[in-house]
Amino acid sequence: MIGCIYRQRRNMTMSVTTKTGDQGMTSLFTGERIAKDDMRVEVYGAVDSLGSTLGMARAFVTSPEVKERIYNLQKQLGVLMADFASRNKAPRITEEMVAGIEKSIADIEESLPELREFIIPGDKKSSAMLDLARTTARAAERHAWTLARRGSVAEIDLRYLNRLSDYIFILMRLEDQDKPNL
């Protein structure tokens, strides 16, 4: 998504196939060319996987509130991918975005019963998919920390990623409230 550059063909249509990656290189959002197996590509690819996993969860979620929250989160993931697909640029993720997730977590958690045991996902497809999204967020965070140790990563992007898995866990609990079996 980020590395894809659409090129015009003679008939004035756009194509997703650019053939610019055939030699194992891709473009960052900032236009630089890097290897497709660069850790930076791995990180924004992991965030892209998270967006897809959330999309699958959203397709099965029954709660309109959870569905809307996931959709809004998916939009923010594009901003996060742009941060990871850029070098030497100010982060696009903001303190307000992190604070918004923290507030959402607190608000939802306050409305839920106290958690007294581990949750075993699988009672509902939607909450099981949200749990998969939670673990996908954790994997993206681990990749981001690897990149941070090798190069520049905005601290706010790391904090945002850290909050995502907590937020997704709370969304899973919110979706699972009524828990009808499928």
Side-chain angles (χ1 to χ4, degrees):
M1 176 178 149
I2 297 295
C4 182
I5 300 170
Y6 292 91
R7 298 196 180 221
Q8 257 187 341
R9 292 186 180 181
R10 282 183 223 172
N11 64 2
M12 303 303 281
T13 62
M14 302 297 268
S15 175
V16 70
T17 304
T18 63
K19 301 180 184 174
T20 61
D22 290 350
Q23 303 303 311
M25 301 294 285
T26 192
S27 293
L28 291 179
F29 192 64
T30 50
E32 301 162 73
R33 300 286 291 168
I34 63 171
K36 285 187 175 191
D37 61 351
D38 187 280
M39 196 65 212
R40 186 166 297 280
V41 178
E42 186 68 32
V43 173
Y44 71 72
V47 174
D48 193 20
S49 293
L50 172 58
S52 294
T53 306
L54 283 169
M56 181 63 80
R58 186 167 55 91
F60 284 92
V61 161
T62 56
S63 163
E65 177 187 357
V66 174
K67 198 175 277 271
E68 181 179 344
R69 287 176 182 270
I70 292 170
Y71 179 74
N72 291 330
L73 186 56
Q74 286 177 287
K75 290 191 294 187
Q76 287 187 0
L77 290 180
V79 175
L80 184 63
M81 283 194 312
D83 278 1
F84 285 115
S86 302
R87 283 191 180 148
N88 304 316
K89 295 284 183 183
R92 293 162 185 86
I93 292 293
T94 65
E95 290 292 341
E96 292 78 20
M97 292 168 145
V98 174
I101 287 177
E102 290 171 345
K103 182 176 180 347
S104 292
I105 291 168
D107 290 348
I108 295 169
E109 200 166 32
E110 190 175 290
S111 74
L112 294 171
E114 184 179 325
L115 189 60
R116 297 183 181 271
E117 58 187 25
F118 285 106
I119 295 175
I120 299 173
D123 287 337
K124 292 172 71 176
K125 288 179 188 177
S126 57
S127 58
M129 288 181 192
L130 280 166
D131 195 56
L132 178 60
R134 178 192 61 79
T135 63
T136 306
R138 285 284 189 223
E141 182 186 8
R142 288 190 301 272
H143 290 311
W145 275 105
T146 299
L147 177 62
R149 287 183 179 81
R150 294 179 185 172
S152 65
V153 171
E155 181 270 338
I156 193 162
D157 290 336
L158 294 169
R159 277 193 295 127
Y160 183 88
L161 256 178
N162 182 264
R163 299 308 183 278
L164 283 180
S165 58
D166 294 339
Y167 187 38
I168 295 166
F169 177 76
I170 290 297
L171 291 177
M172 178 189 73
R173 288 191 60 209
L174 186 60
E175 172 67 11
D176 229 8
Q177 270 188 132
D178 54 2
K179 236 183 193 174
N181 289 326
L182 297 178

